[in-house]
Amino acid sequence: MTSFAARIKKAFSDMKVHRKLIVAYVLTGLFPMCLMFTLFYTQMRRVLVEREIKNLQTTFDQAVDDVNTELALHQSMSDYLAFDQTIVQIIKAEDKNSFEAYERMVKEFDPMMDSLSYFYPEIRQSTVYVRDFVIPHGTYLRPAQEIENDEWTAPADNDVHWYADMDQGTVTMVRSMPLIDDGKGGFLYISMDYSKIFGSMELAVNEDYGVFVYNEDKEVLYENQKMTRNAKYQMEFSDFQKIQKKEKQNTANYILLEKEIEQNGWHAACYLPKKGIISPMQPILLIVLLMWAGCVLFSAVVIMRFSGNMAYRLEKLKKTMAEVEEGNLEVEMVSTERDEIGDLTRGFNQMLSRIRQLIQEVYESRIRQKQYEMTALRAQINPHFLYNSLSLINWKALEIGSDDISKATLALSRYYRTSLNKGKNTMSIREEIDNVRSYLQIQEMFHDYSFTVKMDVAEDILDYRTLNLILQPLAENAIAHGIDRRRGSEPGVITISGRRDGDCVVLSVADNGVGMEQEKAQTILTEKSSGYGVRNVNSRIQLEYGEAYGLSIESEPGKGTKVTVRIPGVEKEVQA
């Protein structure tokens, strides 16, 4: 297997550049395009199906809720009539042939029944049927014997019974009137417009669909088959029951939705052919396929046409680079083209010129880096002897009660511990602050506490990484060239501060010494400066982090000098 892979790799390596471009096009262009096309089609199909299922579910649920609301509204209205005392008194009146009974019928009973059709235009008939003898009064009051042979029967309980007749286009509600007793029991019959009750079942969707409403006996009460594009998917209710079983096994080609009409226990069901969802995507798929084929053909022509030209120019550039690798830095190419290869050629020429310029600078910077490492190495030769000696001096000072000597010894010990830093080139800002603090404590004693030190370093930067010994030379310079040369009775102050600035950490050492002209301050970091300590810190920072970082100096005669250090904010401690 390894040898086969090696042969493939060698064969590819030996190909001409323009053939490699063709292979690269097939692997990185044609194959991803095929994969993207497949993923696009699959994702579009999935999203489309999910979207349509969600839309259909929302629309269907709303339609069923609307039917349930209509039924609940009419049942609530029937509650009012079934328990109305006026109707009960009129029906139970002893003398039904009297003028008074007729007058109550016309003035009270008729307006009450008329109001139903006025407020509910979908009501076709509203009638109170009485089992006992009753004088018929229009369609509002009839003897029960008239409907004894109808398909529905008078209820024997106090429940509300619902019937639907697709042929007659009616939905009927029948319920008993329990307040009519003593052998004069009656019941209320209300017939409503079929299309009004089931009007919401005309779903507002564009796809082909079918809707059934059926009762507990599996009798179809309502049916709506909307198949404008795929009539072959229309089915009978018996077929619908069969795919219900398949749907439970997840083998059907339909989307099925079901919901109970809570008001009367009917069931509503909706089905949608899955192919009806996918078919609208076919034109889009064809367009994408044609676009894909066109892109493949166009790309093939372009890659064949220009690969030879590109290969020739790249080969020429390669030969020139080979000469440079052999040590000939004086070679130069000529290019008049303005494309990327032409820019690369001109950039190559500029790079050679820059390389020649930087060789000396890089060589010198490497020498300086080695010098820094050698200095740190020499400092590590025997640090334990120094620490033990300082510790002995500290104990001797404590024995004779000389606190100043003990304090100076401890400060000097801390200073050298952080300065040597176990030979590492970096430390945390916390350790760098401890180092400069120990140094300044010793300097305060040397200067008989003629100046004070202020620390203003943000807590959130103390664990960031920094080069070691970058603040001590700045503090030393502030004392030697600022504090020691000042005049007047006002005490000297050295301020050490630190904070975050975006992705950087900014440290500063400021003094209120004699200061200098800003023009002179700007020359301190240059080769013209006679001072080496500050310039050395700046060189180390730029060598480690790049020229975007380093020192900047602000100064004003008589007011002091401030040196600012900018380094990148690196939280994790990194070993040098």
Side-chain angles (χ1 to χ4, degrees), residues 134-374:
V134 65
I135 298 176
H137 183 74
T139 60
Y140 293 151
L141 183 62
R142 308 298 298 179
Q145 292 80 2
E146 292 183 0
I147 45 85
E148 287 180 347
N149 297 325
D150 284 3
E151 63 179 10
W152 54 272
T153 58
D157 52 30
N158 292 329
D159 294 334
V160 177
H161 299 267
W162 295 88
Y163 305 89
D165 191 328
M166 288 193 294
D167 297 331
Q168 295 184 5
T170 59
V171 176
T172 304
M173 178 183 63
V174 182
R175 62 176 301 165
S176 64
M177 301 181 68
L179 296 182
I180 303 176
D181 51 9
D182 299 329
K184 299 179 182 180
F187 55 91
L188 179 63
Y189 172 96
I190 298 178
S191 177
M192 292 154 281
D193 185 9
Y194 185 92
S195 61
K196 173 63 177 177
I197 299 301
F198 293 112
S200 61
M201 287 299 174
E202 290 285 342
L203 303 183
V205 294
N206 297 325
E207 290 75 20
D208 297 344
Y209 69 91
V211 175
F212 295 104
V213 178
Y214 56 95
N215 57 22
E216 295 179 354
D217 297 327
K218 303 298 182 180
E219 296 176 344
V220 178
L221 307 177
Y222 173 83
E223 179 180 352
N224 178 22
Q225 302 274 359
K226 183 182 177 182
M227 295 291 168
T228 58
R229 292 178 300 189
N230 297 285
K232 63 180 181 180
Y233 293 115
Q234 185 170 335
M235 66 178 70
E236 298 296 330
F237 184 69
S238 59
D239 297 327
F240 174 79
Q241 290 178 296
K242 292 179 181 178
I243 70 169
Q244 277 182 309
K245 297 179 181 179
K246 290 185 178 181
E247 180 66 17
K248 293 179 181 178
Q249 301 172 0
N250 197 25
T251 59
N253 294 320
Y254 294 84
I255 297 169
L256 301 184
L257 304 175
E258 294 184 76
K259 189 173 184 179
E260 182 182 6
I261 302 176
E262 299 176 355
Q263 194 63 33
N264 55 12
W266 290 350
H267 293 270
C270 176
Y271 72 90
L272 183 70
K274 291 182 180 179
K275 289 186 178 180
I277 297 177
I278 304 302
S279 57
M281 193 177 67
Q282 301 304 324
I284 299 176
L285 181 61
L286 180 59
I287 292 174
V288 173
L289 180 60
L290 293 176
M291 293 177 61
W292 173 79
C295 290
V296 171
L297 181 60
F298 177 78
S299 300
V301 173
V302 171
I303 200 69
M304 292 294 295
R305 173 64 180 83
F306 292 104
S307 60
N309 178 265
M310 294 175 61
Y312 169 76
R313 296 166 63 192
L314 289 173
E315 185 68 24
K316 184 179 179 180
L317 181 59
K318 175 187 174 183
K319 292 179 179 179
T320 305
M321 293 177 64
E323 293 186 37
V324 174
E325 290 175 355
E326 293 175 359
N328 184 10
L329 297 180
E330 302 301 324
V331 69
E332 187 171 354
M333 294 182 62
V334 178
S335 177
T336 59
E337 292 84 0
R338 294 296 178 182
D339 60 0
E340 288 79 4
I341 298 180
D343 293 339
L344 181 61
T345 302
R346 286 184 291 275
F348 179 75
N349 292 333
Q350 295 175 2
M351 180 187 68
L352 288 178
S353 176
R354 181 61 175 164
I355 286 175
R356 290 190 291 267
Q357 179 182 352
L358 291 178
I359 281 179
Q360 188 65 29
E361 297 177 9
V362 172
Y363 177 75
E364 293 176 356
S365 67
R366 291 300 181 185
I367 292 177
R368 288 197 299 270
Q369 184 178 15
K370 294 299 181 181
Q371 290 174 345
Y372 300 150
E373 294 173 354
M374 184 61 67

Side-chain angles (χ1 to χ4, degrees), residues 70 73-74 76-78 80-81 109-124 126 140 190-193 196-197:
E70 285 288 335
L73 177 66
H74 289 86
S76 176
M77 174 267 296
S78 72
Y80 172 75
L81 294 178
F109 183 75
D110 285 353
M112 186 178 300
M113 301 300 286
D114 287 338
S115 65
L116 295 181
S117 299
Y118 178 79
F119 289 105
Y120 305 99
E122 66 272 17
I123 295 180
R124 292 186 176 182
S126 56
Y140 293 151
I190 298 178
S191 177
M192 292 154 281
D193 185 9
K196 173 63 177 177
I197 299 301

Side-chain angles (χ1 to χ4, degrees), residues 99-134:
F99 177 78
E100 180 180 353
Y102 175 77
E103 187 177 37
R104 290 196 67 186
M105 187 72 71
V106 173
K107 292 184 177 180
E108 298 181 26
F109 183 75
D110 285 353
M112 186 178 300
M113 301 300 286
D114 287 338
S115 65
L116 295 181
S117 299
Y118 178 79
F119 289 105
Y120 305 99
E122 66 272 17
I123 295 180
R124 292 186 176 182
Q125 179 184 343
S126 56
T127 305
V128 177
Y129 288 96
V130 181
R131 293 188 180 91
D132 197 8
F133 170 77
V134 65

